[in-house]
Amino acid sequence: RMTALSKQMELDEIEKSLKTSIKAVENEMTKINQSIDNVAEDESNLESKIEKKRSELERAQKRLGTLQTVRPSYMDEYEKLEEELQKIYQTYITKFRNLTY
């Protein structure tokens, strides 16, 4: 340690090494700041996408609710035909039983 202290370093060398170190730190700082800006931009993009998807989901849920409550126009005819089919089937079953016994 004493030998290192006893050597006389030139002021120019020290200044030069300090300047290169400062430039390296400044470059690293700009890179970090750029990456922070990119992260903030990505975050805002993702938040807007999430909000868009949330609104689409809400609209789809509303549409599903309205579709579930709406009764189709053919439903009355369907129920009438279903009752008629039930009566015809009962007649069929009765005739089939009579034929087998």
Side-chain angles (χ1 to χ4, degrees), residues 83-95:
E83 286 176 15
E84 188 179 329
L85 178 66
Q86 192 73 351
K87 289 176 186 176
I88 292 171
Y89 183 72
Q90 287 298 328
T91 307
Y92 166 77
I93 292 294
T94 306
K95 287 181 181 181

Side-chain angles (χ1 to χ4, degrees), residues 31-47:
K31 287 180 184 178
I32 290 173
N33 285 335
Q34 287 175 350
S35 64
I36 288 173
D37 291 340
N38 289 341
V39 167
E41 186 178 320
D42 290 344
E43 183 181 1
S44 66
N45 287 340
L46 289 174
E47 285 178 2

Side-chain angles (χ1 to χ4, degrees), residues 13-25:
E13 282 182 37
I14 296 173
E15 189 176 342
K16 187 176 182 181
S17 66
L18 283 176
K19 283 184 180 182
T20 56
S21 297
I22 289 172
K23 282 192 178 200
V25 169

